[in-house]
Amino acid sequence: MGAEQAGPFRRPTPQEVAAAAGRGLADVIGPGLRVLFCGFNPGLYSAAVGLPFARKGSRFWPALHGGGFTDRELRPWEHDELLRHGLGITSLSNRATARADELTSAELVAGVTGLAVKAQRYRPRWVAILGVTAYRIAFVRPRAALGPQPDRLGPARLWVLPNPSGLNAHFPLPALTAEFGKLRQEIDG
């Protein structure tokens, strides 16, 4: 059976997805962003197609729109549109895995250094970490909660959002969208 079309990119075969282990993704980043969203790491499907949050059913794009950051729900292949809205995407680790728990604590902690360099270079107003577990491990803040954080990365303030992964059952889409909306309200004040 051949690969199916999914948007403007070819849907990868299961073998292509498996072969994406360890690959990375290019950041969607530019100077002076309102928010740089930072995930744990790319998933295998995203790495296979070369697009962030690419899996069908990704909750990142609807939460971003529902939270008021974009004027419509963008699709993964429209990720460059984020820059027009003053938004970007990066990861703590740029090593694709099937599950975020395949990353080591050392990888997440080391990822903060790279993230700090990006924050200093591109100077976003906010860095939003997508996942409280990632934040707790990477920033060594075991009791951190969602929302604004005391840490800064260069000029950027930090905010923790729920992980938009469908595996995060604690946050159905309406709750996830509400959390994205809280950040947007803080920014647009």
Side-chain angles (χ1 to χ4, degrees), residues 4-173:
E4 301 171 30
Q5 281 298 113
F9 61 88
R10 184 182 63 80
R11 182 169 292 157
T13 65
Q15 296 80 11
E16 290 168 327
V17 171
R23 285 192 207 153
L25 283 179
D27 290 334
V28 178
I29 198 166
L33 299 173
R34 292 187 305 154
V35 183
L36 177 60
F37 292 95
C38 180
F40 282 68
N41 68 317
L44 295 180
Y45 191 95
S46 287
V49 300
L51 298 170
F53 301 102
R55 185 171 286 288
K56 184 178 179 179
S58 170
R59 300 180 323 151
F60 176 78
W61 304 104
L64 194 68
H65 171 63
F69 283 104
T70 59
D71 50 0
R72 64 182 176 81
E73 186 177 321
L74 300 175
R75 301 292 183 241
W77 55 88
E78 298 177 299
H79 62 277
D80 288 337
E81 282 290 310
L82 290 173
L83 297 175
R84 186 173 64 82
H85 294 282
L87 307 171
I89 299 174
T90 190
S91 323
L92 284 168
S93 171
N94 201 20
R95 180 174 71 88
T97 60
R99 295 175 47 99
D101 63 8
E102 294 176 44
L103 298 174
T104 67
S105 295
E107 283 178 282
L108 293 174
V109 170
V112 174
T113 301
L115 186 57
V117 168
K118 291 172 191 178
Q120 192 62 43
R121 178 176 180 193
Y122 293 103
R123 307 186 74 71
R125 287 175 48 202
W126 288 87
V127 172
I129 307 295
L130 299 172
V132 70
T133 301
Y135 181 79
R136 287 173 178 163
I137 294 168
F139 287 83
V140 193
R141 297 261 188 211
R143 291 185 177 85
L146 296 174
Q149 302 301 313
D151 298 307
R152 290 181 85 90
L153 286 176
R157 295 183 61 196
L158 287 169
W159 191 283
V160 176
L161 289 168
N163 185 335
S165 168
L167 299 175
N168 186 2
H170 294 14
F171 279 91
L173 184 57

